[in-house]
Amino acid sequence: MLVLIVGPLTAWIARRAARERKEATDSLEHFTVRMPAAPRVILAACAVLFELIMLAAYVWQGLSLGIWDHALVWFGHAMALAGMGIWALVSLPRLDVDGEYIVIRTALGRRKRAMFSQITRATLHTQMMSVVLYAGDCGGERKLATVNLEGTCATNLLARLAQEGIEVADAVQAPMTKARLCWAAIKPLTLVFVGMAMVFSLVIAFMALFTDEGAGLLVIIPFLFILIGGVLPLIMLSMPIRGAHEITLQERELGFSFAQEMAARGATGTEFEDDDWFVSISNARIVAFRRDYIKRLSAVEGTESGDRCVVTAKNGKKHKVYAAGSTLEDLRTWYRRGPRQRSMADRAADALETLV
């Protein structure tokens, strides 16, 4: 199921969404930020498809076997409602820019109106793919909106904020350590898994309420959260731990403390570049190397496990580094030419490239 359906479907959605973002308007005066059409259409189609599949199974079983299992119908209803609920959460939020005015619609359908002159600052969280806008008034600063970075014209919004002279800061300001990098790498996946557990739990609660199984089904819910919300994120933790282990090898070889080095350089968040260090998170993996540890960098190549390059250390040890191709190319560019000066809009564009 995952290999034959979910993987290709996810890749298709990512490509269509990237094309929609590319074809969107370049105007900074009039644009709309919202989730691309492809994932919204797929979610709505899946909701209807769940209902039809369960209804077809109900009718076939009744006509051929004489067993009219009403639980199938209720299961179809539950899955359809869950699908439409996710569709609403994805489809309703939008941000419309019309000259100096911003009109925001939240996931609950609530509308807010503001002007760019009221926005005091914004924060960008590249791992969570979100931009948060803050507005100030006589009552103090308040959170105005959270904008999905994957939406069409999200980079237009960042460019407009820069044009207005509104500060866009990194949402993560904590000192950089290996543990924080590992958590930042799997945090989005963890939230997705917890969300899946919540959706499945609501489906089970719906079935318990409207079928003969009753409260017996509710016993499954804690196990869902343990398995999907707990065990799966721990399994995914193996991806960033490999990068953290590579940092540890560098610490032993060169005799330094990563946390102390980052603190001395004022590095915070999840990305950092200077003459000596390249640190980034890509596809739930940590890519972090100190220049004097590297002897040679190979070209980026595609494999069945994803894009990778080989880093040869000064002691001859070879590291197979897996990440998005754009991140690995950034690593090679840094090694050849030194650190880049990147704005928040550049970081957002780099984050979007890893999705395709």
Side-chain angles (χ1 to χ4, degrees):
M1 176 77 71
L2 290 174
V3 174
L4 298 179
I5 299 178
V6 177
L9 182 60
T10 303
W12 179 82
I13 291 174
R15 288 194 299 269
R16 286 297 300 266
R19 193 170 90 180
E20 189 173 336
R21 286 192 294 267
K22 186 176 180 180
E23 294 174 351
T25 177
D26 293 328
S27 172
L28 300 185
E29 294 295 323
H30 305 277
F31 59 88
T32 298
V33 183
R34 69 176 307 178
M35 183 62 66
R40 291 187 282 117
V41 171
I42 291 296
L43 284 171
C46 286
V48 175
L49 189 62
F50 279 131
E51 183 78 48
L52 293 178
I53 289 175
M54 292 300 104
L55 183 60
Y58 168 75
V59 173
W60 175 83
Q61 188 172 275
L63 293 177
S64 61
L65 303 177
I67 302 174
W68 297 93
D69 188 356
H70 299 292
L72 288 174
V73 178
W74 287 112
F75 182 68
H77 293 339
M79 293 299 292
L81 285 173
M84 293 307 294
I86 297 172
W87 173 85
L89 289 174
V90 169
S91 301
L92 284 177
R94 61 182 289 166
L95 182 146
D96 293 291
V97 173
D98 184 11
E100 294 298 317
Y101 291 92
I102 303 174
V103 179
I104 299 158
R105 186 175 68 187
T106 67
L108 299 178
R110 181 187 173 192
R111 291 182 180 273
K112 305 180 199 176
R113 186 179 175 88
M115 297 181 66
F116 277 101
S117 58
Q118 295 175 290
I119 299 177
T120 55
R121 64 186 178 94
T123 58
L124 171 65
H125 199 309
T126 53
Q127 299 306 311
M128 296 302 296
M129 303 297 288
S130 63
V131 181
V132 181
L133 304 179
Y134 295 89
D137 52 26
C138 57
E141 190 177 65
R142 72 186 192 282
K143 182 178 176 181
L144 181 64
T146 299
V147 182
N148 193 322
L149 195 60
E150 299 174 69
T152 57
C153 298
T155 52
N156 297 42
L157 177 63
L158 290 173
R160 179 62 187 272
L161 292 172
Q163 179 179 293
E164 297 287 338
I166 298 169
E167 178 190 4
V168 181
D170 194 330
V172 182
Q173 296 293 333
M176 186 179 290
T177 63
K178 289 183 287 186
R180 288 194 177 99
L181 287 175
C182 286
W183 167 239
I186 67 164
K187 181 179 178 180
L189 289 173
T190 301
L191 295 179
V192 169
F193 287 140
V194 171
M196 290 171 58
M198 291 179 63
V199 170
F200 291 143
S201 298
L202 290 175
V203 169
I204 290 173
F206 185 91
M207 294 289 292
L209 184 63
F210 291 102
T211 65
D212 296 334
E213 299 296 333
L217 287 173
L218 299 179
V219 179
I220 303 174
I221 293 178
F223 294 99
L224 275 177
F225 276 94
I226 293 173
L227 176 62
I228 301 178
V231 176
L232 288 181
L234 287 177
I235 294 174
M236 300 303 295
L237 187 60
S238 62
M239 299 168 69
I241 279 182
R242 179 172 180 171
H245 177 63
E246 289 170 348
I247 296 175
T248 302
L249 293 178
Q250 296 176 66
E251 289 177 318
R252 292 173 181 171
E253 180 69 20
L254 302 177
F256 67 90
S257 166
F258 179 74
Q260 292 177 3
E261 281 233 352
M262 294 299 104
R265 297 166 189 267
T268 60
T270 58
E271 294 186 19
F272 180 70
E273 284 186 41
D274 68 1
D275 291 330
D276 299 317
W277 273 99
F278 178 94
V279 182
S280 183
I281 292 177
S282 175
N283 293 350
R285 291 179 168 93
I286 298 172
V287 181
F289 288 96
R290 204 166 92 166
R291 183 178 296 277
D292 54 356
Y293 181 76
I294 301 174
K295 179 180 180 180
R296 185 168 56 254
L297 269 173
S298 73
V300 179
E301 59 180 346
T303 69
E304 293 182 355
S305 302
D307 295 330
R308 78 175 185 190
C309 72
V310 178
V311 175
T312 304
K314 291 292 178 65
N315 60 7
K317 184 175 180 60
K318 294 185 177 181
H319 302 273
K320 295 180 180 178
V321 183
Y322 291 88
S326 58
T327 302
L328 297 178
E329 289 294 349
D330 290 342
L331 174 64
R332 286 169 53 81
T333 301
W334 164 81
Y335 185 65
R336 294 195 305 263
R337 304 175 188 172
R340 301 164 298 159
Q341 297 297 323
R342 294 191 302 160
S343 66
M344 285 296 171
D346 295 330
R347 289 183 57 183
D350 288 347
L352 289 172
E353 284 184 11
T354 64
L355 299 176
V356 183

